[in-house]
Amino acid sequence: MKTAADSTPSPGNVLVFSPAIGNQADEECVSRLSTANPSATNALFVSYRQSPETLLEGWREQFGDDPASFGIIAVGTQGSASQTENDQNVVSLARPDCLGRLQTAMYIYLEQWSAADGQSVLCFDSITSMLRHVNRMTAFRFVHSLTESLHRIDVTAHFHMHPEAHDVETVAMFRPLFDTVIDGPPDTGSEISPEALSVLLDSPRRRSVCRYLAEIADTADVSAIADQIAKRESETMPSEDTQERIHITLRHVHLPKLVETGVVELDGETVVSKIGTEELERYCRIAGQGESDSETEPTISNGDGLAGRIPSKDKSDEAYWTVYGTDRDSVVVTLARALGTVSDVRPTKLQPVLYDVVDIDALQRLAEREETSVYATFNYDEYEVVVDGGEIRLYESN
């Protein structure tokens, strides 16, 4: 990541530490939207503070003409303000806490422009304002997903963040998501991986693994970590069933996630930290301060490992049948135990782990939602697995 102190427009995603537009930062903001041919530029403004009229007037004062195409998304209280003379270019969102609607509104503009000529630019004003309405975990996930998408569709974007409104850990959380940082405070620690931080934010149990490695030992047996987590999560002495359930989730979900992002490595039953203790503690501290009881909408990544609904099989062909609930970890634990039963293997010893076969993390999140009907089918070794509305059925593959 490059840090710059000047105001030269930069490609990619830029984090600008300055007051929101409408203050002395107006000229800096508009200059970051400039391209070689402003009249051929597609410009999208997202603002929690300024009216659509103010945003468009700032462009006109700087460049004279309107951009080739423009969109304005007014979020929150100013969403009901008077509109510009181009109402079709303005979207008003009354709920600043509904980031799903904001994301959809942005993509409608940007994906439409991606098929047209001209450079697309984006001003997001601001992360500071967004954080007044959603928690840090939700905001981080939103910005992480958005910046990755902007790279894919070649949009030059800058995001405002007030330089005096956030603590050090909040700044450290968002800073790595950007290609360039303008006028930001010095980064005093090693650079944080957004992917690793996202994985830790997604699960308290993953954070518990990292805390164990940071506080107790940087090399540990999976069962020892599972026992320690069981004690932390239980008000009384945990049962063997509780310990096994946690052990199953570590083997089939959480440890593979941490291995994939380079935080740990797994050698048989031994977990080894791949980063230093101080860095690991920093990850835990930042991710822990982003904790929230609220859930984000789970997704199945690209549909990998899952298939659409197929005609029901004859139940007489079932090799195994069981049910799962909406309790935490119910799907992964029930699946592992079912496959362990038919394979005559302990569920903690199953190979391959479920993470390598299906997006088990997303499937579990969906199953925990009582209002969601879950259906998935995938192959595991010699079995076809069907997860369907609270039931798990195993069929021998033909």
Side-chain angles (χ1 to χ4, degrees), residues 11 19 26 28 81 83 109 128 136 150 157 170 196 198 210 218 222 227-228 239 254 261 301 369 372 380 385 398:
D26 280 8
E28 158 75 8
Q83 303 295 282
Y109 281 114
T128 301
R136 293 198 315 179
L150 294 175
T170 299
S198 180
C210 292
D218 55 10
V222 178
D227 291 348
Q228 181 68 22
S239 65
H254 304 305
T261 54
S301 304
R369 293 179 173 272
T372 302
Y380 186 97
V385 181
N398 295 328

Side-chain angles (χ1 to χ4, degrees), residues 62-123:
Q62 184 78 9
F63 302 117
D65 297 326
D66 288 355
S69 299
F70 74 90
I72 297 173
I73 302 176
V75 186
T77 56
Q78 90 284 4
S80 59
S82 60
Q83 303 295 282
T84 69
E85 63 270 27
N86 296 283
D87 285 341
Q88 70 273 16
N89 297 95
V90 179
V91 173
S92 296
L93 301 178
R95 288 188 53 186
D97 61 326
C98 190
L99 298 186
R101 292 183 181 180
L102 174 57
Q103 185 178 53
T104 298
M106 295 175 68
Y107 287 171
I108 287 174
Y109 281 114
L110 297 173
E111 290 180 358
Q112 176 183 349
W113 294 342
S114 67
D117 294 332
Q119 174 67 50
S120 294
V121 295
L122 164 69
C123 167

Side-chain angles (χ1 to χ4, degrees), residues 300 304-310 324 331 335 358-359 363 366 373-379 384-389 391-393:
I300 304 296
D304 292 344
L306 302 182
R309 185 174 290 276
I310 58 176
Y324 65 87
V331 165
L335 263 174
V358 65
D359 192 340
L363 185 58
L366 287 168
S373 179
V374 178
Y375 182 88
T377 179
F378 58 94
N379 290 323
E384 181 181 353
V385 181
V386 177
V387 181
D388 187 7
E391 297 183 352
I392 292 174
R393 300 193 299 273

Side-chain angles (χ1 to χ4, degrees), residues 98-240:
C98 190
L99 298 186
R101 292 183 181 180
L102 174 57
Q103 185 178 53
T104 298
M106 295 175 68
Y107 287 171
I108 287 174
Y109 281 114
L110 297 173
E111 290 180 358
Q112 176 183 349
W113 294 342
S114 67
D117 294 332
Q119 174 67 50
S120 294
V121 295
L122 164 69
C123 167
F124 191 98
D125 175 36
S126 66
I127 292 174
T128 301
S129 296
M130 178 172 59
L131 284 168
R132 296 192 182 105
H133 305 285
V134 299
N135 61 56
R136 293 198 315 179
M137 181 189 299
T138 301
F140 174 87
R141 285 171 170 157
F142 172 79
V143 177
H144 188 197
S145 174
L146 178 58
T147 51
E148 289 185 336
S149 296
L150 294 175
H151 272 301
R152 287 195 297 270
I153 58 179
D154 194 28
V155 174
T156 296
H158 73 271
F159 294 68
H160 290 271
M161 198 167 185
H162 197 291
E164 300 174 358
H166 307 286
D167 58 34
V168 172
E169 302 302 351
T170 299
V171 172
M173 192 175 186
F174 285 92
R175 189 182 186 113
L177 300 177
F178 298 91
D179 304 301
T180 305
V181 175
I182 305 295
D183 294 333
D187 189 3
T188 57
S190 57
E191 185 167 312
I192 291 171
S193 161
E195 289 71 27
L197 186 56
S198 180
V199 164
L200 291 178
L201 283 168
D202 278 345
S203 169
R205 207 161 272 174
R206 289 172 208 150
R207 294 194 291 275
S208 292
V209 171
C210 292
R211 288 193 181 103
Y212 185 102
L213 296 173
E215 297 170 2
I216 299 177
D218 55 10
T219 300
D221 188 80
V222 178
S223 60
I225 298 175
D227 291 348
Q228 181 68 22
I229 293 175
K231 291 175 183 177
R232 285 186 177 181
E233 293 183 1
S234 302
E235 296 182 359
T236 59
M237 181 61 66
S239 65
E240 290 185 4

